[in-house]
Amino acid sequence: MSDAGDRFQRETKYDPARMPGHTLDWQAKPEVYKEYPEADKIELPGFEPTQALSLEQTLKQRKSIRDFQGKPISKSQLAYLLWASTGIQRVEGGYEFRTAPSAGALYPIETYLVVNDVKGLEPGIYHYSIRAHQLERLRLGNFGRQTAAAALGQGMCATACVVFIWSAVFERCKWKYGQRAYRYIYLDAGHIAENLALAATSLNRGTCEIGALYDDQANAIIGVDGIEESVICMAVVGIPV
Ligand SMILES: Cc1cc2nc3c(=O)[nH]c(=O)nc-3n(C[C@H](O)[C@H](O)[C@H](O)COP(=O)(O)O)c2cc1C
């Protein structure tokens, strides 16, 4: 590998003597929601955890889970996990804000699912429509093994109930922050992943984040180009053994 990371860290530093002085082009502000208008829509049921763990218990209990019982999670639990990781939580001043913070409220991260075993949902690839709190069905089929192969052979992608795949639409954040945006994009994805981990733990479900992946194989699974939009990381969710 080149020294691209070292150069990136150096060249994207903020320095009081050399601050970028550009003005924002509001006409060119990218849309913060991606939608698949042609896709079949699946309504997500409401879900209020009745016996969720407290935050303190959740923090004590969260750990990476890689082995799962071969039992499905429910669609309502999945709905809760989607909302808890990146759903809309309030509207202020006409802006929709989400459960996880985002630099400049630019929300560059998209959520896709590889559904292996969720009650009431056919296996396949889905996109989470955040604004509508719906799933958009992109492709039906069993993609667990392909996802495991894209994750350097990590079999948990095939044995989990569902794999969350998070991609970034880079321009949403670059519009304001230029190359420094990449710092914030990775942080944004981390916040979402941790929200998912805590929400899942609070329901006695297990997660493991996955950063080891063949980028373009993961991009192919969700059908993104790896340039304008590219996979950042993934997480498996299932019922711990
Ligand atoms: C960015 C990131 C990438 C990770 N990638 C993987 C991975 O590809 N495979 C894996 O088994 N665990 C992965 N993990 C999980 C870590 O190995 C785990 O969080 C760490 O060992 C600490 O253990 P704990 O989560 O149980 O506290 C990743 C965690 C993070 C935050």
Side-chain angles (χ1 to χ4, degrees), residues 62-66 151-152 154 156 190 193 207-213 233-234:
R62 187 221 56 84
K63 62 180 184 176
S64 295
I65 302 289
R66 300 174 178 86
L152 276 62
Q154 299 189 73
M156 58 183 160
T207 63
C208 181
E209 198 170 335
I210 295 181
L213 51 88
C233 61
M234 323 199 284

Side-chain angles (χ1 to χ4, degrees), residues 146-152 213-223 231:
Q146 193 182 336
T147 309
L152 276 62
L213 51 88
Y214 296 119
D215 302 66
D216 286 333
Q217 289 187 23
N219 290 330
I221 290 168
I222 60 167
V231 171

Side-chain angles (χ1 to χ4, degrees), residues 44-70:
L44 291 170
F47 182 69
E48 289 292 329
T50 48
Q51 291 179 321
L53 302 179
S54 69
L55 178 59
E56 188 193 355
Q57 289 168 317
T58 301
L59 289 168
K60 282 183 174 158
Q61 205 160 298
R62 187 221 56 84
K63 62 180 184 176
S64 295
I65 302 289
R66 300 174 178 86
D67 296 312
F68 302 106
Q69 302 178 23

